[in-house]
Amino acid sequence: MVFKKMLSAFGVGGPSVDTVLANPNTRPGLTLDGHINLVGGDAPASIEQITVGLVTRVEIEGGDSEYAGIMEFHRMAVSGPLELAPKQQLAIPFQLVVPWETPVTDVYGQRLHGMTMGLRTELAVARAVDKSDLDHVAVHPLPIHERILDAFQALGFRFKHADLERGHIRGVQQTLPFYQEIEFFAAPQYARTVSEVELTFVTSQRGVEVLLECDKRGGFLSAGHDVVGRYAVPHVDADRTDWVQLVDGWLRETTSRYGNLRAHGFGAPHGHGRGHGMGGLVAGTALGVAGGLVAGELIGDAFEGDFGDFGGDFE
């Protein structure tokens, strides 16, 4: 019996957890519904808490280097303390509200290169190793996101890459500890002056703040530079706007600001004057827990399974 208790403390013969999502596809502001299946182990187990949380990969800048970390950014308790008898089976339903600012991972039925998202289930077991489960989640764009992305495609922009950058954008009401950058190669009509455009959505229940960072090409006698445009649109405008015309106007207005920067002496080469691009708008983010939001928690525990199976994007 003592040996069995020792094995249980190391997770051998202990309870198991498996989360089943009714549908792994969702959108910002909607929910993820499912149930958590528990199966008792060889001995009674005292479960302290069961939680589910959304996790993703975030790029983190530290000094002169940049590295990727796995971050849990939204958590909910599904159950408090309970006793699980040997071999007992329980199914606990849950409904997790997806934050409005949750980044988009899938567009046109395809995963955006560089994006990954999962639902992490954690079973806290008294006097034993905690159990975890990790499930794929696909976050699809809201109608207003789709219209803007459609406009970029119609204008001839080609998708390059997407990632999450840790930090807060100054002047933007932002609740998550990171923001998404969706990068495009410039469309032909902009290619003489712009090499790339980075698109950021900061979404709320009312609408979306759209930030455009245009990477300006440098010439023989002029330096390259980044310029940023910021625009706000409500959700109700999704189906009553000529988005191609509007996005084209945003891009032309944003790139026209480059001349103003040069006139004021901001002509540092690209990569050295990033303070005038998105980098200059980003403020540091404090670590901590508030209102159930696990802000900036980097997850180092080992899940059951392999990150290599998690879309191949955690390698």
Side-chain angles (χ1 to χ4, degrees), residues 110-132:
Q110 298 293 322
R111 177 62 54 99
L112 290 177
H113 178 64
M115 292 303 305
T116 191
M117 184 75 61
L119 181 75
R120 177 191 189 223
T121 304
E122 183 178 300
L123 185 67
V125 185
R127 300 178 301 280
V129 175
D130 292 348
K131 297 288 186 176
S132 295

Side-chain angles (χ1 to χ4, degrees), residues 68-263:
I70 306 306
M71 181 182 292
E72 181 180 81
F73 64 92
H74 184 57
R75 176 186 288 186
M76 180 186 77
V78 174
S79 172
L82 59 89
E83 297 297 321
L84 193 64
K87 307 305 179 185
Q88 180 183 0
Q89 298 183 20
L90 282 180
I92 304 175
F94 69 90
Q95 185 177 75
L96 178 69
V97 176
V98 178
W100 284 97
E101 288 179 27
T102 301
V104 172
T105 64
D106 290 65
V107 178
Y108 310 126
Q110 298 293 322
R111 177 62 54 99
L112 290 177
H113 178 64
M115 292 303 305
T116 191
M117 184 75 61
L119 181 75
R120 177 191 189 223
T121 304
E122 183 178 300
L123 185 67
V125 185
R127 300 178 301 280
V129 175
D130 292 348
K131 297 288 186 176
S132 295
D133 187 29
L134 191 64
D135 295 87
H136 287 273
V137 171
V139 183
H140 299 266
L142 290 166
I144 200 159
H145 300 147
E146 289 180 340
R147 304 301 183 271
I148 294 171
L149 291 169
D150 287 346
F152 268 86
Q153 185 180 50
L155 288 167
F157 285 86
R158 292 184 297 114
F159 173 74
K160 177 185 177 184
H161 182 75
D163 64 11
L164 302 179
E165 299 285 340
R166 183 172 173 177
H168 283 84
I169 303 169
R170 290 194 181 96
V172 176
Q173 191 172 357
Q174 184 183 338
T175 61
L176 296 186
F178 53 75
Y179 57 93
Q180 183 177 33
E181 290 184 340
I182 303 174
E183 302 174 19
F184 296 91
F185 293 109
Q189 64 269 36
Y190 304 94
R192 292 186 62 185
T193 53
V194 177
S195 56
E196 295 177 3
V197 174
E198 294 176 358
L199 169 65
T200 294
F201 295 126
V202 181
T203 309
S204 68
Q205 189 172 0
R206 298 178 303 278
V208 180
E209 287 214 53
V210 181
L211 291 103
L212 302 176
E213 181 176 3
C214 297
D215 183 357
K216 295 283 292 183
R217 289 186 185 276
F220 180 66
L221 297 175
S222 63
H225 214 292
D226 291 349
V227 287
V228 175
R230 177 177 161 188
Y231 307 91
V233 287
H235 290 294
V236 294
D237 281 358
D239 293 322
R240 60 188 193 193
T241 299
D242 183 338
W243 287 104
V244 173
Q245 181 180 7
L246 183 60
V247 171
D248 179 65
W250 288 347
L251 289 163
R252 296 186 184 282
E253 179 183 343
T254 300
T255 55
S256 71
R257 295 171 186 164
Y258 180 60
N260 293 332
L261 290 177
R262 290 186 63 194

